[in-house]
Amino acid sequence: MSAGATEVTGAVAVVRDFVNTSDHDEGTDELDSTAGLTAWLTTTGLAGESAEATEAELDLALRLRAGLRRGLELNHDGGAGPLPGLVDVLAELPVVLGWDGTAPVLTTGENGVLGGLARVAVCAHETVATGEWGRLKICSFDECEWAYVDRSKNRSRHYCEYGCGNKLKTRAYRARQRAASAQL
Ligand SMILES: [Zn+2]
């Protein structure tokens, strides 16, 4: 799977793509090293080109990702709950209030890795303002767990855009076929 396969752009896409740096389906992780984190933040433009991640920053990034993923799971389940891990990591990010010329905005004054991670968190906050936060979910298919944006009218989608609902049906169908043939 490749990130950004749908038309989703902007802050909501940044959050989705950050969570999807871990691909459960393919067993890959773009943030498996400090070099991987540096590459992701600089190619997305969230951090400046001179940024270079340390082990401590990688740890922070992984905790941020885990916390956001948990938040997306809560969105999916229509629930709410305390996320102490996410609270801790958000408190460590260099986010400040600024002025964009027309309105107060959350921003970061840093351009390194911490600034890049702060921008991911600011994007998550922006999705709250645009009403898209609740649409960010984790695919229900256990072999997928892809973060996706539920664009359905009543936010009722349970699976990502890669047809996982159908894959699940196919698997259930095959299981029934196997059970039926075992009884023969
Ligand atoms: Zn899926």
Side-chain angles (χ1 to χ4, degrees), residues 1 139-141 144-146 148 159-165 167:
M1 290 184 200
C139 179
S140 278
F141 189 37
C144 177
E145 297 181 4
W146 195 244
Y148 67 100
Y159 304 102
C160 75
E161 64 272 33
Y162 294 98
C164 286
K167 286 181 211 163

Side-chain angles (χ1 to χ4, degrees), residues 11-175:
V12 74
V14 169
V15 178
R16 178 200 59 183
D17 293 351
F18 180 68
V19 172
N20 281 339
T21 50
S22 167
D23 190 328
H24 180 76
D25 180 37
E26 296 189 353
T28 57
D29 187 351
E30 291 180 69
L31 308 187
D32 62 353
S33 64
T34 53
L37 174 60
T38 300
W40 192 83
L41 286 174
T42 52
T43 53
T44 53
L46 291 166
E49 284 184 5
S50 60
E52 202 170 339
T54 64
E55 287 293 339
E57 287 165 336
L58 176 61
D59 178 66
L60 194 68
L62 297 180
R63 288 191 290 129
L64 176 62
R65 186 176 66 182
L68 288 173
R69 173 172 283 276
R70 190 71 200 101
L72 269 50
E73 286 171 352
L74 283 179
N75 283 344
H76 185 280
D77 298 336
L83 294 179
L86 184 58
V87 170
D88 287 349
V89 69
L90 290 177
E92 291 180 52
L93 296 174
V95 176
V96 294
L97 268 169
W99 177 256
D100 73 354
T102 59
V105 287
L106 276 183
T107 183
T108 180
E110 297 198 25
N111 215 21
V113 171
L114 283 181
L117 296 176
R119 285 187 185 88
V120 172
V122 166
C123 282
H125 181 263
E126 282 179 19
T127 69
V128 179
T130 59
E132 292 172 298
W133 169 253
R135 294 186 182 278
L136 274 163
K137 300 178 177 180
I138 300 294
C139 179
S140 278
F141 189 37
D142 55 4
E143 290 176 19
C144 177
E145 297 181 4
W146 195 244
Y148 67 100
V149 182
D150 179 359
R151 290 289 191 209
S152 66
K153 210 170 176 183
N154 52 1
R155 304 184 183 189
S156 57
R157 269 180 57 186
H158 291 286
Y159 304 102
C160 75
E161 64 272 33
Y162 294 98
C164 286
N166 289 331
K167 286 181 211 163
L168 201 62
K169 279 179 210 145
T170 307
R171 191 165 72 176
Y173 174 76
R174 288 201 189 116

